[in-house]
Amino acid sequence: MIRFVSTRGGIAPVAFDEAVLQGFAADGGLFVPDSIPVVSAAELERLSTLDFPALASELVSRFVDPAVIDHARLRTLVADGFRAFDARDVVELVTLQGSGGLRVLELFHGPTLSFKDLAMGFLMNVVDDLLEQRGERLNIVLATTGDTGPAAAWAAAGKKRIDCWPLYPLGMISDAQARQMTTLEADNVHPVAVEDCRDGGDDLDLVVADLFGDGDTRRELKLSSVNSINWCRVMMQAVHYFHAYFRTVEAVGDPIVFSVPTGAFGNLFGGYLARAMGLPVARFVCANNVNDGLHTAITTGSFPRRDLVQTPSSAIDIVAPYNFWRLLHCVTGGDSARIRRWMDDFTARREARLDDTTSRSLRDIFASAAIADQTTLDTMRSVHSESGYLLDPHGAVAVAAARAVASELPSGVPVVCLATAHPAKFPDVVARALGGDRGLPAAARHPSIENARHACQHLRLCSLEHLRSGLAQAMRRQIVRRTDG
Ligand SMILES: *Cc1c(COP(=O)(O)O)cnc(C)c1O
């Protein structure tokens, strides 16, 4: 059975439940499976006939020891994670009329309209199930500057054994994103808006790290670092690549290319995992905006840690894409000594230098591009005027990147661009991109966003200075309330 090791190599292998509940490995690395299960060509044929939830169960079960979660139960946890989706088969694959028959894979049909919903429902279901088995509860704290907080809040809502505390810097996330958390009616979700965050999410990350760093507090408050880096999310994010593949190629076995708007490399690592499991992906396009650390690493072998630049595709404004370490772990055949050195150089010297063999392996698998803000806006406008289809800014980065590297891609192979958010989450960017004053097109609206605009908000407001003590106090009260109840 598959066990999980750390990218930094400093822990004994653990079973699936420990990897999920610990989040980060104890040595500060990320969990990766000790081997990757391969799907044979014959099995691929069989998987090609399944609907999305059944496909997801099949793929995910290969990483889960049935002694930890039996596979019939796992199927329920997977299927429940997609219940709030509004697409018939969880995601939608559209081929545009015009714009050169562009293929767009829409990953935003979940309750908070971003691709984060795909895995977050499943993650929270698994965590709640494992806690139920153990008779425990957890407080999940996560700092968010984008789509993760809303997705986690919705996925945690109503869970019996979880209290979820999404923290966000006041005024630094969009009103629509904040309202997705603050208008949610669930007595186990406690959004906290934090005032005076000059460095945005980084300020919050420091407070969270401080809380977790104190072992006594962590135990007293039953804190968990179940968060973005969780293995549950990564493996679930491999599924849409299989799904889109089966609906795009003429025959199973034919090649395909995916272009992926990339921030923390979680979505793209899901793609890499799908390929490593046997999906015939010829190449991926790693689509960065001007926060181009990954593009630089892939094209030059130098992986720099740069300062953050705010762009219209804010969900990929990321300078430390932690899932990239998972990729390097796989590409180097699990050379954790090298990963440790690179991670440390990246932090201390703000640059990791990859060796030639690793660089070459990366370039075989990934093409990459860094897309300027104006190109993102131009792509939204031109695709909309050519085909009537409205891309969100992240989908536009993927399309622009696929076009920028077209000459590096195998000819005649279909290219699928991943659209990771509904455009209604970014009305200001849509207005800038389309220009004029005819008002927003209907595709830039969504009823759930409209409804949230009129609903009452409930949130805690706290200054950054008092966040640590304020949060601990709120959690203590909540624990008392739970115990009395
Ligand atoms: C999180 C997110 C991304 C980036 O995905 P990573 O896994 O961080 O690379 C892209 N687009 C949207 C809308 C997102 O919310």
Short mmCIF file of all heavy atoms in Angstrom, two decimals, residues 274-319:
data_model
loop_
_atom_site.label_atom_id
_atom_site.label_comp_id
_atom_site.label_asym_id
_atom_site.label_seq_id
_atom_site.Cartn_x
_atom_site.Cartn_y
_atom_site.Cartn_z
N ALA A 274 -1.25 13.12 -13.13
CA ALA A 274 -2.05 12.37 -14.12
C ALA A 274 -1.13 11.77 -15.18
O ALA A 274 -1.27 10.61 -15.56
CB ALA A 274 -3.08 13.30 -14.76
N ARG A 275 -0.16 12.55 -15.63
CA ARG A 275 0.78 12.07 -16.64
C ARG A 275 1.64 10.94 -16.10
O ARG A 275 1.85 9.92 -16.75
CB ARG A 275 1.65 13.25 -17.10
CG ARG A 275 2.60 12.93 -18.24
CD ARG A 275 3.35 14.22 -18.62
NE ARG A 275 4.21 14.05 -19.78
CZ ARG A 275 5.47 13.65 -19.71
NH1 ARG A 275 6.01 13.35 -18.54
NH2 ARG A 275 6.18 13.54 -20.81
N ALA A 276 2.10 11.11 -14.86
CA ALA A 276 2.92 10.07 -14.25
C ALA A 276 2.12 8.79 -14.05
O ALA A 276 2.67 7.68 -14.03
CB ALA A 276 3.50 10.57 -12.93
N MET A 277 0.80 8.92 -13.88
CA MET A 277 -0.06 7.74 -13.74
C MET A 277 -0.35 7.07 -15.08
O MET A 277 -1.00 6.03 -15.12
CB MET A 277 -1.38 8.13 -13.05
CG MET A 277 -1.22 8.53 -11.59
SD MET A 277 -2.77 9.15 -10.88
CE MET A 277 -3.63 7.60 -10.55
N GLY A 278 0.06 7.71 -16.16
CA GLY A 278 -0.08 7.06 -17.46
C GLY A 278 -0.92 7.82 -18.48
O GLY A 278 -1.13 7.34 -19.59
N LEU A 279 -1.44 9.01 -18.12
CA LEU A 279 -2.22 9.77 -19.09
C LEU A 279 -1.28 10.31 -20.18
O LEU A 279 -0.26 10.93 -19.85
CB LEU A 279 -2.95 10.93 -18.38
CG LEU A 279 -4.07 11.58 -19.19
CD1 LEU A 279 -5.26 10.63 -19.34
CD2 LEU A 279 -4.53 12.88 -18.54
N PRO A 280 -1.60 10.07 -21.47
CA PRO A 280 -0.68 10.47 -22.55
C PRO A 280 -0.66 11.98 -22.81
O PRO A 280 -1.14 12.44 -23.84
CB PRO A 280 -1.19 9.71 -23.78
CG PRO A 280 -2.19 8.73 -23.28
CD PRO A 280 -2.73 9.28 -22.00
N VAL A 281 -0.12 12.76 -21.90
CA VAL A 281 0.00 14.20 -22.09
C VAL A 281 1.34 14.49 -22.75
O VAL A 281 2.39 14.13 -22.21
CB VAL A 281 -0.09 14.96 -20.75
CG1 VAL A 281 0.02 16.47 -20.98
CG2 VAL A 281 -1.38 14.62 -20.02
N ALA A 282 1.29 15.09 -23.95
CA ALA A 282 2.54 15.40 -24.66
C ALA A 282 3.31 16.48 -23.91
O ALA A 282 4.51 16.37 -23.68
CB ALA A 282 2.25 15.83 -26.09
N ARG A 283 2.60 17.54 -23.54
CA ARG A 283 3.24 18.65 -22.83
C ARG A 283 2.22 19.46 -22.07
O ARG A 283 1.03 19.48 -22.40
CB ARG A 283 3.92 19.59 -23.83
CG ARG A 283 5.41 19.29 -23.90
CD ARG A 283 6.12 20.21 -24.79
NE ARG A 283 7.33 20.67 -24.12
CZ ARG A 283 8.03 21.71 -24.49
NH1 ARG A 283 7.66 22.44 -25.52
NH2 ARG A 283 9.11 22.05 -23.83
N PHE A 284 2.71 20.16 -21.06
CA PHE A 284 1.90 21.14 -20.35
C PHE A 284 2.46 22.53 -20.65
O PHE A 284 3.67 22.68 -20.85
CB PHE A 284 1.99 20.95 -18.83
CG PHE A 284 1.40 19.65 -18.35
CD1 PHE A 284 2.22 18.57 -18.06
CD2 PHE A 284 0.03 19.52 -18.16
CE1 PHE A 284 1.69 17.38 -17.61
CE2 PHE A 284 -0.51 18.32 -17.70
CZ PHE A 284 0.31 17.25 -17.42
N VAL A 285 1.59 23.53 -20.65
CA VAL A 285 2.06 24.91 -20.69
C VAL A 285 1.85 25.49 -19.29
O VAL A 285 0.73 25.53 -18.78
CB VAL A 285 1.27 25.74 -21.72
CG1 VAL A 285 1.78 27.18 -21.73
CG2 VAL A 285 1.37 25.11 -23.11
N CYS A 286 2.93 25.89 -18.66
CA CYS A 286 2.87 26.55 -17.35
C CYS A 286 2.65 28.04 -17.61
O CYS A 286 3.56 28.72 -18.08
CB CYS A 286 4.19 26.29 -16.60
SG CYS A 286 4.31 27.22 -15.06
N ALA A 287 1.45 28.51 -17.35
CA ALA A 287 1.08 29.89 -17.68
C ALA A 287 1.17 30.77 -16.43
O ALA A 287 0.35 30.67 -15.53
CB ALA A 287 -0.34 29.91 -18.25
N ASN A 288 2.20 31.60 -16.40
CA ASN A 288 2.38 32.58 -15.32
C ASN A 288 1.88 33.95 -15.79
O ASN A 288 1.81 34.20 -17.00
CB ASN A 288 3.87 32.77 -14.99
CG ASN A 288 4.43 31.73 -14.02
OD1 ASN A 288 5.64 31.58 -13.89
ND2 ASN A 288 3.57 31.03 -13.30
N ASN A 289 1.56 34.84 -14.85
CA ASN A 289 1.48 36.25 -15.19
C ASN A 289 2.88 36.84 -14.93
O ASN A 289 3.87 36.11 -15.00
CB ASN A 289 0.32 36.94 -14.43
CG ASN A 289 0.47 36.85 -12.90
OD1 ASN A 289 1.59 36.76 -12.38
ND2 ASN A 289 -0.65 36.88 -12.20
N VAL A 290 2.97 38.14 -14.61
CA VAL A 290 4.32 38.70 -14.45
C VAL A 290 5.01 38.23 -13.17
O VAL A 290 6.20 38.47 -12.99
CB VAL A 290 4.31 40.26 -14.50
CG1 VAL A 290 3.94 40.72 -15.91
CG2 VAL A 290 3.36 40.83 -13.47
N ASN A 291 4.29 37.54 -12.30
CA ASN A 291 4.95 36.83 -11.19
C ASN A 291 5.48 35.53 -11.79
O ASN A 291 4.82 34.49 -11.76
CB ASN A 291 3.95 36.57 -10.06
CG ASN A 291 3.46 37.88 -9.44
OD1 ASN A 291 4.18 38.52 -8.67
ND2 ASN A 291 2.25 38.29 -9.80
N ASP A 292 6.69 35.62 -12.35
CA ASP A 292 7.11 34.61 -13.33
C ASP A 292 8.22 33.69 -12.83
O ASP A 292 9.04 33.23 -13.62
CB ASP A 292 7.55 35.31 -14.62
CG ASP A 292 8.77 36.20 -14.39
OD1 ASP A 292 9.17 36.38 -13.23
OD2 ASP A 292 9.32 36.72 -15.38
N GLY A 293 8.24 33.40 -11.53
CA GLY A 293 9.29 32.54 -10.98
C GLY A 293 9.34 31.17 -11.62
O GLY A 293 10.42 30.66 -11.94
N LEU A 294 8.18 30.57 -11.86
CA LEU A 294 8.17 29.22 -12.45
C LEU A 294 8.58 29.27 -13.91
O LEU A 294 9.33 28.40 -14.37
CB LEU A 294 6.77 28.61 -12.31
CG LEU A 294 6.38 28.24 -10.87
CD1 LEU A 294 4.91 27.91 -10.78
CD2 LEU A 294 7.23 27.07 -10.39
N HIS A 295 8.12 30.26 -14.62
CA HIS A 295 8.53 30.42 -16.03
C HIS A 295 10.05 30.56 -16.10
O HIS A 295 10.71 29.94 -16.93
CB HIS A 295 7.83 31.65 -16.62
CG HIS A 295 8.39 32.09 -17.93
ND1 HIS A 295 8.37 31.30 -19.05
CD2 HIS A 295 9.01 33.25 -18.30
CE1 HIS A 295 8.95 31.94 -20.06
NE2 HIS A 295 9.34 33.13 -19.63
N THR A 296 10.61 31.35 -15.19
CA THR A 296 12.06 31.54 -15.17
C THR A 296 12.76 30.22 -14.84
O THR A 296 13.75 29.85 -15.47
CB THR A 296 12.43 32.62 -14.13
OG1 THR A 296 11.67 33.79 -14.42
CG2 THR A 296 13.91 32.95 -14.19
N ALA A 297 12.24 29.49 -13.87
CA ALA A 297 12.87 28.21 -13.49
C ALA A 297 12.85 27.23 -14.66
O ALA A 297 13.85 26.56 -14.94
CB ALA A 297 12.14 27.60 -12.30
N ILE A 298 11.73 27.16 -15.36
CA ILE A 298 11.61 26.19 -16.46
C ILE A 298 12.50 26.60 -17.63
O ILE A 298 13.15 25.75 -18.24
CB ILE A 298 10.12 26.07 -16.89
CG1 ILE A 298 9.35 25.34 -15.78
CG2 ILE A 298 9.98 25.34 -18.21
CD1 ILE A 298 7.84 25.45 -15.89
N THR A 299 12.56 27.89 -17.92
CA THR A 299 13.32 28.28 -19.11
C THR A 299 14.81 28.47 -18.84
O THR A 299 15.62 28.32 -19.74
CB THR A 299 12.76 29.59 -19.74
OG1 THR A 299 12.61 30.56 -18.70
CG2 THR A 299 11.40 29.33 -20.38
N THR A 300 15.20 28.79 -17.59
CA THR A 300 16.62 29.08 -17.35
C THR A 300 17.28 28.16 -16.32
O THR A 300 18.50 28.15 -16.20
CB THR A 300 16.82 30.52 -16.84
OG1 THR A 300 16.32 30.59 -15.48
CG2 THR A 300 16.10 31.55 -17.71
N GLY A 301 16.51 27.43 -15.53
CA GLY A 301 17.11 26.60 -14.48
C GLY A 301 17.37 27.37 -13.19
O GLY A 301 17.79 26.79 -12.20
N SER A 302 17.13 28.69 -13.20
CA SER A 302 17.25 29.46 -11.96
C SER A 302 15.85 29.75 -11.44
O SER A 302 15.02 30.34 -12.14
CB SER A 302 17.99 30.77 -12.25
OG SER A 302 17.60 31.75 -11.30
N PHE A 303 15.59 29.34 -10.19
CA PHE A 303 14.25 29.51 -9.60
C PHE A 303 14.34 30.64 -8.59
O PHE A 303 14.83 30.46 -7.48
CB PHE A 303 13.84 28.18 -8.96
CG PHE A 303 12.50 28.18 -8.29
CD1 PHE A 303 11.45 28.98 -8.72
CD2 PHE A 303 12.26 27.32 -7.21
CE1 PHE A 303 10.21 28.94 -8.10
CE2 PHE A 303 11.03 27.28 -6.58
CZ PHE A 303 10.00 28.09 -7.03
N PRO A 304 13.91 31.83 -9.00
CA PRO A 304 14.09 33.02 -8.15
C PRO A 304 12.89 33.26 -7.25
O PRO A 304 11.76 32.95 -7.61
CB PRO A 304 14.18 34.14 -9.18
CG PRO A 304 13.25 33.70 -10.27
CD PRO A 304 13.27 32.18 -10.28
N ARG A 305 13.13 33.82 -6.06
CA ARG A 305 12.04 34.31 -5.23
C ARG A 305 11.97 35.82 -5.38
O ARG A 305 12.83 36.55 -4.90
CB ARG A 305 12.28 33.94 -3.77
CG ARG A 305 11.12 34.40 -2.94
CD ARG A 305 11.22 34.07 -1.49
NE ARG A 305 10.03 34.60 -0.87
CZ ARG A 305 9.22 33.94 -0.08
NH1 ARG A 305 9.51 32.71 0.26
NH2 ARG A 305 8.15 34.49 0.41
N ARG A 306 10.96 36.30 -6.08
CA ARG A 306 10.86 37.72 -6.39
C ARG A 306 9.84 38.38 -5.48
O ARG A 306 9.15 37.71 -4.73
CB ARG A 306 10.41 37.90 -7.84
CG ARG A 306 11.34 37.23 -8.85
CD ARG A 306 11.67 38.18 -9.99
NE ARG A 306 12.78 37.68 -10.78
CZ ARG A 306 12.64 36.96 -11.90
NH1 ARG A 306 11.43 36.65 -12.33
NH2 ARG A 306 13.69 36.56 -12.56
N ASP A 307 9.73 39.71 -5.58
CA ASP A 307 8.68 40.42 -4.85
C ASP A 307 7.36 40.28 -5.58
O ASP A 307 7.32 40.18 -6.81
CB ASP A 307 9.05 41.90 -4.72
CG ASP A 307 10.24 42.09 -3.79
OD1 ASP A 307 10.45 41.23 -2.92
OD2 ASP A 307 10.97 43.09 -3.97
N LEU A 308 6.30 40.29 -4.81
CA LEU A 308 4.97 40.10 -5.38
C LEU A 308 4.54 41.32 -6.18
O LEU A 308 4.72 42.45 -5.76
CB LEU A 308 3.97 39.86 -4.25
CG LEU A 308 2.58 39.44 -4.70
CD1 LEU A 308 2.57 37.95 -4.99
CD2 LEU A 308 1.55 39.77 -3.65
N VAL A 309 3.95 41.06 -7.36
CA VAL A 309 3.35 42.12 -8.16
C VAL A 309 1.86 41.83 -8.27
O VAL A 309 1.47 40.71 -8.57
CB VAL A 309 3.96 42.12 -9.59
CG1 VAL A 309 3.36 43.26 -10.42
CG2 VAL A 309 5.48 42.23 -9.54
N GLN A 310 1.02 42.84 -7.97
CA GLN A 310 -0.43 42.62 -8.09
C GLN A 310 -0.87 42.73 -9.54
O GLN A 310 -0.45 43.66 -10.25
CB GLN A 310 -1.17 43.64 -7.23
CG GLN A 310 -0.93 43.38 -5.75
CD GLN A 310 -1.92 44.11 -4.87
OE1 GLN A 310 -2.37 45.20 -5.18
NE2 GLN A 310 -2.25 43.49 -3.75
N THR A 311 -1.67 41.78 -9.99
CA THR A 311 -2.11 41.76 -11.38
C THR A 311 -3.62 41.51 -11.45
O THR A 311 -4.24 41.19 -10.43
CB THR A 311 -1.43 40.60 -12.15
OG1 THR A 311 -2.08 39.38 -11.78
CG2 THR A 311 0.05 40.50 -11.85
N PRO A 312 -4.20 41.61 -12.66
CA PRO A 312 -5.63 41.31 -12.79
C PRO A 312 -5.94 39.82 -12.54
O PRO A 312 -7.07 39.48 -12.21
CB PRO A 312 -5.96 41.67 -14.24
CG PRO A 312 -4.83 42.51 -14.72
CD PRO A 312 -3.63 42.14 -13.91
N SER A 313 -4.95 38.94 -12.70
CA SER A 313 -5.17 37.51 -12.42
C SER A 313 -4.61 37.22 -11.03
O SER A 313 -3.61 36.53 -10.85
CB SER A 313 -4.49 36.65 -13.48
OG SER A 313 -3.17 37.09 -13.74
N SER A 314 -5.32 37.77 -10.01
CA SER A 314 -4.77 37.83 -8.65
C SER A 314 -4.55 36.46 -8.01
O SER A 314 -3.68 36.32 -7.16
CB SER A 314 -5.70 38.67 -7.77
OG SER A 314 -7.02 38.17 -7.89
N ALA A 315 -5.29 35.44 -8.44
CA ALA A 315 -5.15 34.12 -7.79
C ALA A 315 -3.82 33.46 -8.14
O ALA A 315 -3.43 32.49 -7.51
CB ALA A 315 -6.31 33.20 -8.18
N ILE A 316 -3.13 33.98 -9.15
CA ILE A 316 -1.81 33.42 -9.46
C ILE A 316 -0.70 34.43 -9.18
O ILE A 316 0.41 34.31 -9.69
CB ILE A 316 -1.73 32.85 -10.90
CG1 ILE A 316 -2.11 33.89 -11.94
CG2 ILE A 316 -2.63 31.62 -11.02
CD1 ILE A 316 -1.84 33.41 -13.38
N ASP A 317 -1.00 35.42 -8.35
CA ASP A 317 0.04 36.33 -7.85
C ASP A 317 0.74 35.64 -6.68
O ASP A 317 0.41 35.87 -5.51
CB ASP A 317 -0.56 37.67 -7.38
CG ASP A 317 -1.14 38.48 -8.53
OD1 ASP A 317 -0.88 38.13 -9.69
OD2 ASP A 317 -1.86 39.45 -8.25
N ILE A 318 1.67 34.77 -6.99
CA ILE A 318 2.31 33.92 -5.98
C ILE A 318 3.81 33.93 -6.24
O ILE A 318 4.24 33.85 -7.39
CB ILE A 318 1.79 32.46 -6.11
CG1 ILE A 318 0.29 32.41 -5.92
CG2 ILE A 318 2.55 31.50 -5.21
CD1 ILE A 318 -0.22 31.73 -4.70
N VAL A 319 4.58 34.07 -5.17
CA VAL A 319 6.05 34.08 -5.36
C VAL A 319 6.73 32.84 -4.78
O VAL A 319 7.89 32.60 -5.07
CB VAL A 319 6.70 35.35 -4.75
CG1 VAL A 319 6.22 36.59 -5.51
CG2 VAL A 319 6.42 35.48 -3.27
#
